[in-house]
Amino acid sequence: MFVGRQKQLAALAAALERTPGAVLVVGEAGIGKSALVREFTRGVDALVAEGGADPGTALQTAAAHGVQAGVHGVQAGVHGVQGGVPYAVFVPVLRRLVREYGAGLVPGGGRNGLARLLPELGELEEHPELGRARLFEEVLLLVERAAERRPVVLVLEDLHWADQASRDLLAFLLRNLTRPGVLVIATSREPLRLPMAEVLKVPPLGRDEVARMLGGSEGEQADIDRIVARSEGNPLFVEALADAGTATTPASLRELLLAGAERLGRASLDVLRIAAVSSSVSPSYGGSRTPHEVLRAVAGLDDLALDEALRPVVRARLLLVDGDGYVFRHTLIRDAVYDDLLPGERIRLHTRCAEARPELAADHWYAAGDRRRAFEAAWRAGRWERVLELWDQSDLPDGGMEPWDRSDSPGGGVGRFDPPDRGMDHAAVLELAAKDALHAGDAERAEELASRALDEVRDPLRAAHLLELRVAIRDLLGEEGLADLREAIRLAPREARLIGALANTLAWNGQDAEARAHAEDALALGDSRSLVTLAALTALEGDLAAASRLHAEARAAAPDDDTVLAAYAGEADVLEAAGEHAKAEAVARRGMAQAKRLGMARSRGAHIAANLAEPLASLGRWKEAREVIDAALALDPPPIHRAWLLMVLGTVAVWEGALEEAADVLDRARPLMRGRSRGYDSCLEPDLLEGRLAVAAGDVERAGRLADHVLSAHDLTLSRRYAWPLLVIAARTGRVRQAPAGMATTGRVQEAYQATFEAECGGSWAAAVAAWRTVGQPYALGQALVRAAEQDPESARELLREAAAIAERLGSAPLRQEVEAAAASGRVRLTAEPGLSARELEVLELVAEGLSNRQIAERLFISARTSGVHVSNIMAKLGVASRVEAAALARRTGLL
């Protein structure tokens, strides 16, 4: 099943539009290069001629036998089989062209050159001094003349196996193709130097794409996650793992993956096995990479001997050089090497790796079966999940910190073990593990651990702090924590952090007065984090300068890294809400850099990424916004942060006109924004995206239903950012003509939305235009300009031309369509006057009616020749190539 690859398909389509040209599709074995090309060629209006290098008989049946054939193709690549027939890549291509159009396309019916490769053309007329040159010229002539009849797409598969003669012929073609209509698409596992060729890399599939490929239901999500992790998004491996189950590597695939290792010498194989063991533990702690020094220490080789052992392994691309270390080209190769070890080999190598890698010693001791040493190492390293796992595996009845009984068996340890801190109990370790999971962005696991700790504690103060922790975790899951916070304060009424957390949650829910009172109380008791809450409340009152000072003070007095980053996120958010887009961008960029330095890019860093993408989107820098969002989503952030990123992505997609993408984004984001952890602003954001999507799609009924829901189910006076934009949609659908009482309007953005709402209700669109000019949001300004032009016909031309320029600069299809519709309705010409005479305008009107030159002549009482001259002059002045284009341009620009 083909899924995803929309960007790559678009790139191939764009290449077909600007022929002649070539695209080299690059990706590892099984990544889906051929599937991508097949999907593209299936829908093109062109003659597709396919050829390719043939490494052996296995590759010949690849297309017909699915995954197994694909495995054989990869197998051939592992063994490095080379095609030995000169020009083998091109023979099927040339035969296809000749069968389609005949050999008469080239002089002599191809017997001067093509017959060298196609014996069916007859006896070759030998010209020794011109043989290769004549062949190359005839191939070029055949391809270009075929393209004169119909566009041609030449597909050349597996160029990494191609013979040198085929590569030379391809280079000649790419340098000499000059006529339009020819696109060459080649595939290769590695970049090749091809003249004039665009390189298109095929990336791994993302999680959503793998899920669609497998057709998994919600109950199969865990299996999908395992397949994604093990396959690394390689479609061939995805299918193989899905067919065989995720617990083990299928035997056929394992044999394939080990094929390159079987030919290694003893020393090289030993090094490969060490790397497999070293990199088999804790990828989140750097375990997937094996430093050179670790290989040397565990292998016991000197530098020269180690280099000689490593060279064949790297040459076979089993290991890749990564800085001063090595990584496996694919984790399944590592797994296959690891699974091939004997039990005794694994224990010995894990033991030696534990001694060589102190930071991962807990994992290696655990894998070696020595739980005592694993426990000690995990405790020293603060690896609380591993400590918890070992603790839960013990057979102590109360889970208390008591010595474990040991035997004298190898790997089991000797004597009694005293833990480093006898004052810590199981609940304390659960809490520490929950904090680690929260720091790593795994909110679901963190909630589970915090809830388990709460079940075990009896001390009110400890329970209160665990409730606070669970509130922070559930906030990331989109769940409101007011009940937990109020219970925590009941248990510990003078705890500053708890009062501050309550203040923050109240602020999110629009209860400003109570929020400020609690924040000030918490600050007086020493909770500097409450400065972030006070800054947000101050910004809502319109004092941005004071809010920025409070955010800076919060960062300076922050008790932990998360508070520092929360202050960056908060400041960027309030600046963006106020229309200070450039300032919001600058603050967010500083915050993201800090999150990366602190190792919190996946958690709080993803939050700040959304705060960066939003001002970029507002400023019309949509490509940059997408890049920020893509990078943050690739880290698999917590649900609420992922939802915020998706909200910005969906908005950009609507503005660009990518409505199917926007609908998909909305479907993905809505389930993540359950509850009201961030108040009405958070729960209304998906509604706003849906409303914008409905309006852009012209679905007035859906937009009206959405407006009815919002007006009946929500108190818009509690929303800080989305009430006025939603009211604009409600007014546009005729659902409301007056704003609810008590609506707040703070800052230039909200003032602009209020002006837009009033214009929708019959007020001045010129006022809305003026308001948006002060904000600096080009898309909103463009929309207001169009509506102002409809309201003021005398200024329509100037207003629509400005809106058209904005649409062109942004690349916004919806805005461009609105401009063109308004221009056509108002008979406004958007481009410069073409200088058509009165007679030419008469002729153009008749052309637009679909009349022929003779019919135009009869209508105007002129000769058919004169009519034809007028049509030719009109087309030249308009810069179009056909009568249809002339008519369309005239209507679109208001010329008629």
Side-chain angles (χ1 to χ4, degrees):
M1 176 182 179
F2 186 87
V3 297
R5 312 300 196 202
Q6 296 307 308
K7 290 183 179 179
Q8 289 73 33
L9 289 171
L12 291 173
L16 185 59
E17 290 292 323
R18 56 175 185 268
T19 57
V23 179
L24 178 64
V25 180
V26 178
E28 67 175 11
I31 200 67
K33 302 182 294 296
S34 298
L36 169 67
V37 175
R38 283 196 302 272
E39 182 69 16
F40 170 70
T41 56
R42 183 181 300 138
V44 300
D45 182 15
L47 175 65
V48 179
E50 299 175 311
D54 186 357
T57 56
L59 193 61
Q60 296 173 1
T61 56
H65 293 85
V67 174
Q68 191 60 42
V71 169
H72 289 315
V74 180
Q75 180 82 50
V78 172
H79 286 293
V81 180
Q82 296 293 322
V85 180
Y87 305 111
V89 172
F90 280 93
V91 171
V93 171
L94 301 176
R95 184 167 285 122
R96 175 79 171 90
L97 296 178
V98 168
R99 287 178 178 174
E100 184 72 21
Y101 298 119
L105 290 181
V106 296
R111 288 185 298 277
N112 294 323
L114 287 179
R116 181 187 303 275
L117 304 182
L118 304 177
E120 61 266 33
L121 297 183
E123 287 289 330
L124 177 67
E125 298 179 4
E126 291 288 352
H127 298 277
E129 73 285 0
L130 296 176
R132 176 177 160 109
R134 188 178 293 275
L135 171 64
F136 281 23
E137 290 291 347
E138 286 201 2
V139 171
L140 174 63
L141 189 60
L142 175 66
V143 170
E144 289 196 329
R145 287 189 174 177
E148 290 175 358
R149 288 156 174 76
R150 185 185 179 193
V152 172
V153 177
L154 306 184
V155 177
L156 309 176
E157 292 273 18
D158 300 312
L159 279 193
H160 48 278
W161 289 324
D163 59 278
Q164 189 58 49
S166 292
R167 294 192 185 193
D168 291 345
L169 176 53
L170 176 58
F172 172 83
L173 281 180
L174 297 185
R175 289 193 179 98
N176 291 279
L177 281 170
T178 57
R179 298 182 183 180
V182 182
L183 175 63
V184 179
I185 303 176
T187 68
S188 174
R189 292 184 188 167
E190 55 195 31
L192 303 172
R193 291 186 178 182
L194 296 180
M196 319 300 289
E198 171 191 353
V199 176
L200 180 64
K201 294 184 178 179
V202 182
L205 296 176
R207 188 198 181 284
D208 291 343
E209 293 167 327
V210 171
R212 292 203 301 274
M213 181 178 176
L214 300 178
S217 64
E218 289 299 319
E220 299 167 332
Q221 294 305 307
D223 283 344
I224 290 174
D225 288 337
R226 285 192 289 271
I227 289 175
V228 170
R230 298 197 68 208
S231 69
E232 296 182 10
N234 184 302
L236 173 67
F237 298 161
V238 167
E239 289 189 17
L241 291 170
D243 290 343
T246 60
T248 60
T249 304
S252 59
L253 188 55
R254 186 163 57 249
E255 291 172 6
L256 159 72
L257 296 167
L258 289 175
E262 290 174 351
R263 302 192 314 277
L264 296 174
R266 177 60 184 271
S268 296
L269 186 56
D270 285 346
V271 168
L272 184 66
R273 288 168 172 167
I274 292 169
V277 171
S278 173
S279 61
S280 65
V281 298
S282 298
S284 59
Y285 287 84
S288 59
R289 179 179 175 277
T290 301
H292 185 85
E293 291 300 318
V294 170
L295 276 181
R296 181 169 58 181
V298 177
L301 299 174
D302 60 36
D303 288 335
L304 183 60
L306 180 59
D307 289 343
E308 288 303 310
L310 274 168
R311 196 172 303 281
V313 180
V314 174
R315 188 180 298 123
R317 299 189 75 244
L318 296 166
L319 288 180
L320 304 177
V321 176
D322 180 34
D324 61 349
Y326 307 90
V327 294
F328 276 87
R329 178 168 57 85
H330 200 286
T331 55
L332 282 174
I333 299 175
R334 182 203 65 200
D335 293 347
V337 174
Y338 185 87
D339 292 342
D340 199 49
L341 292 170
L342 297 173
E345 289 178 308
R346 290 185 195 174
I347 291 174
R348 287 194 300 273
L349 289 178
H350 274 299
T351 298
R352 285 153 65 183
C353 286
E355 295 165 349
R357 304 196 72 173
E359 74 280 10
L360 297 173
D363 302 303
H364 284 296
W365 286 125
Y366 183 79
D370 192 332
R371 295 201 302 168
R372 178 179 63 83
R373 287 194 173 94
F375 193 98
E376 291 173 331
W379 194 285
R380 285 194 298 270
R383 297 279 303 282
W384 302 114
E385 276 274 18
R386 178 65 77 187
V387 170
L388 186 63
E389 179 183 8
L390 289 163
W391 197 331
D392 289 342
Q393 288 176 3
S394 70
D395 54 3
L396 298 177
D398 60 356
M401 292 289 279
E402 297 294 338
W404 292 354
D405 292 329
R406 305 265 177 238
S407 68
D408 292 340
S409 60
V414 181
R416 299 174 67 82
F417 168 61
D418 290 323
D421 183 354
R422 295 183 62 84
M424 289 185 63
D425 59 10
H426 190 250
V429 177
L430 282 166
E431 180 180 358
L432 290 169
K435 289 178 178 178
D436 279 353
L438 180 61
H439 185 276
D442 189 349
E444 288 88 350
R445 174 62 173 163
E447 181 186 28
E448 174 198 345
L449 294 168
S451 296
R452 285 173 58 190
L454 265 169
D455 291 340
E456 295 186 12
V457 299
R458 296 296 178 265
D459 177 69
L461 183 59
R462 287 186 67 186
H465 283 294
L466 280 168
L467 284 166
E468 178 196 8
L469 175 61
R470 191 167 70 176
V471 167
I473 295 167
R474 287 182 169 175
D475 177 63
L476 296 180
L477 295 170
E479 299 173 7
E480 184 186 284
L482 275 174
D484 273 358
L485 282 173
R486 293 193 188 280
E487 173 62 13
I489 291 176
R490 186 190 68 79
L491 295 172
R494 299 301 294 168
E495 280 293 298
R497 287 174 59 92
L498 298 178
I499 299 170
L502 177 60
N504 187 54
T505 303
L506 289 168
W508 275 112
N509 282 275
Q511 301 178 42
D512 296 354
E514 189 180 358
R516 180 174 285 279
H518 283 300
E520 290 172 349
D521 286 348
L523 184 61
L525 291 170
D527 178 41
S528 58
R529 296 184 310 167
S530 293
L531 287 165
V532 178
T533 304
L534 289 170
L537 293 169
T538 301
L540 288 174
E541 295 166 356
D543 194 344
L544 289 181
S548 290
R549 287 194 297 271
L550 286 169
H551 278 123
E553 188 179 342
R555 287 191 288 270
D560 51 47
D561 294 336
D562 187 67
T563 303
V564 173
L565 298 180
Y568 277 117
E571 185 174 5
D573 185 62
V574 299
L575 288 169
E576 169 63 16
E580 298 289 346
H581 308 308
K583 292 181 180 178
E585 177 194 354
V587 170
R589 288 196 185 279
R590 291 199 300 272
M592 283 190 67
Q594 183 78 329
K596 187 175 182 180
R597 285 194 295 270
L598 295 171
M600 299 175 69
R602 180 172 179 254
S603 51
R604 186 68 75 172
H607 179 184
I608 301 174
N611 294 135
L612 173 58
E614 193 169 10
L616 291 174
S618 296
L619 291 166
R621 290 155 59 186
W622 296 341
K623 183 174 182 292
E624 292 178 66
R626 282 184 173 276
E627 290 170 351
V628 170
I629 293 167
D630 288 346
L633 288 176
L635 299 176
D636 189 24
I640 193 65
H641 296 163
R642 185 160 68 250
W644 292 339
L645 289 161
L646 290 172
M647 284 294 98
V648 184
L649 178 61
T651 301
V652 169
V654 168
W655 291 345
E656 289 176 335
L659 302 188
E660 289 186 9
E661 179 189 9
D664 177 66
V665 166
L666 180 62
D667 289 342
R668 291 159 57 193
R670 269 205 184 278
L672 303 176
M673 302 188 80
R674 60 186 185 273
R676 289 175 178 163
S677 69
R678 294 302 172 104
Y680 270 76
D681 279 351
S682 184
C683 69
L684 283 174
E685 199 168 358
D687 289 337
L688 177 58
L689 176 56
E690 182 176 352
R692 285 171 167 165
L693 176 58
V695 170
D699 191 342
V700 179
E701 184 179 348
R702 181 182 181 186
R705 288 198 307 270
L706 184 281
D708 290 340
H709 160 73
V710 168
L711 292 170
S712 63
H714 298 286
D715 180 357
L716 294 183
T717 64
L718 296 177
S719 172
R720 303 304 185 191
R721 297 188 59 180
Y722 305 122
W724 281 115
L726 282 163
L727 283 172
V728 168
I729 294 172
R732 189 162 190 172
T733 58
R735 267 24 184 215
V736 66
R737 306 303 290 175
Q738 186 174 357
M743 287 285 297
T745 307
T746 302
R748 292 178 296 175
V749 174
Q750 298 306 312
E751 289 168 357
Y753 275 119
Q754 182 180 9
T756 304
F757 170 77
E758 292 169 353
E760 288 283 7
C761 294
S764 168
W765 278 103
V769 168
W772 284 115
R773 287 194 192 283
T774 68
V775 174
Q777 291 188 15
Y779 184 80
L781 173 60
Q783 288 188 309
L785 286 165
V786 172
R787 302 299 297 279
E790 294 170 348
Q791 195 176 60
D792 182 7
E794 292 186 2
S795 303
R797 182 176 179 183
E798 179 183 350
L799 295 169
L800 289 177
R801 284 189 173 187
E802 183 181 357
I806 291 173
E808 182 68 24
R809 186 171 70 252
L810 294 177
S812 172
L815 181 56
R816 183 172 61 250
Q817 291 163 4
E818 287 183 35
V819 171
E820 291 174 353
S825 175
R827 300 179 68 84
V828 175
R829 178 169 176 77
L830 298 176
T831 58
E833 293 291 348
L836 298 183
S837 67
R839 173 62 83 179
E840 286 169 342
L841 285 171
E842 285 184 286
V843 172
L844 179 57
E845 286 186 1
L846 298 177
V847 168
E849 290 180 19
L851 273 62
S852 66
N853 287 353
R854 182 173 297 279
Q855 290 170 322
I856 293 172
E858 292 173 353
R859 183 78 64 86
L860 298 178
F861 303 102
I862 59 177
S863 70
R865 179 181 177 83
T866 301
S867 170
V869 170
H870 282 316
V871 172
S872 297
N873 289 339
I874 290 168
M875 289 167 58
K877 289 180 179 180
L878 294 179
V880 297
S882 70
R883 302 164 72 93
V884 174
E885 284 187 62
L889 179 63
R891 292 192 183 97
R892 190 168 64 247
T893 60
L895 190 59
L896 294 181

